[in-house]
Amino acid sequence: MIATILDWLGAACLVAGALLGLAAGIGVLRFPDALSRMHAATKPQVLGVLLLLLGIALRLRAPADLGMILLVAVFQLATAPVAAQMIGRAAYRSGRLDRSLLDADELAERGPGGGSTGPA
């Protein structure tokens, strides 16, 4: 009985994760500038991967599998924000963004490209 419920919960997590991954892919294709695309590529994609991993964990339930799934989740959570920040910074420095879409531009005071103005 419990195994059947866990299987159904795992299936629901797999479907939800796949839909979030699809939404991320559509957002990357449809959004107008690099910062919007970066947001679409990281936010729903990370949650989608975590839901997929949760669905797999609910289905497999073996300790060795759960350890590997946990490791994948930790690396996903550690690398996605760093990659998003690097992509955003590169887009800002190369000018591949629509500045009219920015609510605030904290990097404008640092000079062209948003880099540092000298030694800290």
Side-chain angles (χ1 to χ4, degrees), residues 24-75:
I26 290 171
V28 167
L29 292 175
R30 302 276 312 207
F31 283 157
D33 67 334
L35 295 180
S36 299
R37 288 186 198 123
M38 180 248 340
H39 183 78
T42 55
K43 304 301 182 201
Q45 183 265 338
V46 170
L47 181 59
V49 168
L50 292 177
L51 281 172
L52 287 171
L53 292 173
L54 178 62
I56 292 169
L58 288 172
R59 178 66 182 110
L60 294 179
R61 297 183 211 109
D65 296 331
L66 295 178
M68 185 62 66
I69 290 169
L70 181 64
L71 189 61
V72 170
V74 166
F75 281 126

Side-chain angles (χ1 to χ4, degrees), residues 80-115:
V82 174
Q85 198 275 336
M86 298 303 286
I87 291 168
R89 180 59 66 105
Y92 186 88
R93 286 184 175 178
S94 66
R96 298 186 185 272
L97 58 105
D98 186 4
R99 293 189 189 273
S100 67
L101 296 175
L102 296 176
D103 289 335
D105 189 0
E106 291 89 3
L107 297 177
E109 64 192 32
R110 292 185 174 204

Side-chain angles (χ1 to χ4, degrees), residues 14-25:
L14 288 172
V15 170
L19 289 175
L20 280 170
L22 177 66

